[in-house]
Amino acid sequence: MLDALEQFAPLPLQESWDNAGLQLGLTEAEVSGALLCLDVNEQIIDEAIRRGCNLVVSHHPLLFRGLKQISGADYVQRSVIKALKNDIVVVSLHTNMDNAQGGVNWKIAERLGLQGCQFFAQKMVDGMEAGSGVVGELPSALDARAFIELVKQQFGVQCAMCNELLERPIRKVAICGGAGDFLLPDAVAQGADAFITGEMHYHQYFGYEQRIQLCVIGHYQSEQYTSEIFRDIIQKECPGVTTCIAETCTNPIVYL
């Protein structure tokens, strides 16, 4: 199964600072079920145990920074201990899934019904076309308020952080899930009418008035459907494996 996932999103596609791939466990173990999630924490491991899954597939790596001890001092260490005690394998596909054809940003585009999608800020990695962002067109143009309402509806958010409403119709949309504000200049260069991402620094909202509509919906919210990509890969390539999309919400941000 790990081969199927990494064939879709090969590890060479990950950024140099990332730690995608096998996190914990023995890959020769027979899979009783795969729990699919965005983040790994103790509650996710508990859900995997409860649902009879001995494999967790996440987007964000559990082991992102090196561990110098495993003493249960923080949630990462406690999650490692609990997973190992219960023979649970943890695999993560992070920026390799961000950069892959059909990956995270393509899923966002699919939710919005974008057409003619292609990479922007694209690159070639080991002969594979990849890119940190995707750009496509809405089936028909929308005014800015209707566009923002569409995004909010499709991603289940009550509010989005935006710059002033664009006064021209929105048709061409650029996307970068997660912390994607580094691609804002590229989105403008693509001639996009709008740019959707999960996080953006405060000062980057300045200077783009009436150039591009910014729509920032939250890191977790922008990537929440990544588990559907994992499910589709596993069901296609390993049809005998039970897949479960996690019910546990791991978003650490509380909206009051």
Side-chain angles (χ1 to χ4, degrees):
M1 183 189 303
L2 181 57
D3 289 342
L5 291 165
E6 292 185 357
Q7 185 174 354
F8 184 95
L11 289 178
L13 296 184
Q14 71 178 310
E15 303 295 337
S16 60
W17 45 263
D18 202 4
N19 187 41
L22 178 66
Q23 306 283 294
L24 296 172
L26 304 174
T27 56
E28 63 266 25
E30 184 176 349
V31 179
S32 62
L35 184 68
L36 317 175
C37 58
L38 192 65
D39 311 286
V40 181
N41 59 17
E42 294 164 273
Q43 290 73 35
I44 286 289
I45 301 300
D46 287 337
E47 182 176 346
I49 295 167
R50 185 175 70 252
R51 300 180 73 173
C53 298
N54 65 348
L55 172 65
V56 171
V57 181
S58 71
H59 181 45
H60 296 142
L62 173 62
L63 302 178
F64 191 70
R65 298 175 178 85
L67 291 178
K68 294 186 177 181
Q69 62 175 358
I70 303 177
S71 63
D74 57 36
Y75 86 92
V76 174
Q77 295 180 39
R78 291 190 295 272
S79 298
V80 169
I81 292 168
K82 184 171 287 189
L84 291 175
K85 280 185 174 179
N86 290 278
D87 296 321
I88 292 175
V89 176
V90 178
V91 172
S92 302
L93 292 91
H94 190 210
T95 52
N96 51 324
M97 185 60 75
D98 289 331
N99 290 329
Q101 180 86 28
V104 174
N105 297 310
W106 299 82
K107 174 59 72 171
I108 297 171
E110 177 188 304
R111 297 286 305 188
L112 295 171
L114 299 190
Q115 301 171 343
C117 294
Q118 58 186 7
F119 286 121
F120 73 98
Q122 67 188 75
K123 51 197 171 186
M124 295 297 293
V125 180
D126 290 355
M128 296 174 285
E129 185 180 17
S132 301
V134 166
V135 63
E137 292 192 351
L138 293 165
S140 58
L142 296 173
D143 65 56
R145 190 171 295 278
F147 169 74
I148 292 165
E149 288 302 319
L150 171 66
V151 176
K152 288 167 59 179
Q153 178 185 31
Q154 288 300 313
F155 290 86
V157 298
Q158 294 185 339
C159 66
M161 292 181 288
C162 307
N163 58 348
E164 69 177 28
L165 294 180
L166 199 67
E167 295 175 0
R168 67 174 188 269
I170 292 174
R171 184 73 184 269
K172 190 173 186 180
V173 180
I175 295 167
C176 184
D181 58 4
F182 69 99
L183 281 184
L184 177 54
D186 298 276
V188 173
Q190 284 287 319
D193 302 307
F195 178 55
I196 301 170
T197 190
E199 294 182 45
M200 183 169 291
H201 287 85
Y202 173 77
H203 290 286
Q204 290 196 262
Y205 287 87
F206 289 99
Y208 291 94
E209 297 81 5
Q210 300 309 317
R211 295 179 67 192
I212 192 168
Q213 181 67 63
L214 304 179
C215 187
V216 182
I217 61 175
H219 196 125
Y220 178 92
Q221 291 85 345
S222 70
E223 297 181 329
Q224 63 185 298
Y225 300 114
T226 304
S227 294
E228 295 180 1
I229 306 174
F230 301 152
R231 177 198 62 197
D232 293 346
I233 295 168
I234 295 170
Q235 289 183 349
K236 179 182 177 182
E237 302 297 334
C238 310
V241 174
T242 299
T243 57
C244 308
I245 291 179
E247 297 169 350
T248 302
C249 176
T250 57
N251 189 357
I253 300 172
V254 178
Y255 305 88
L256 301 176

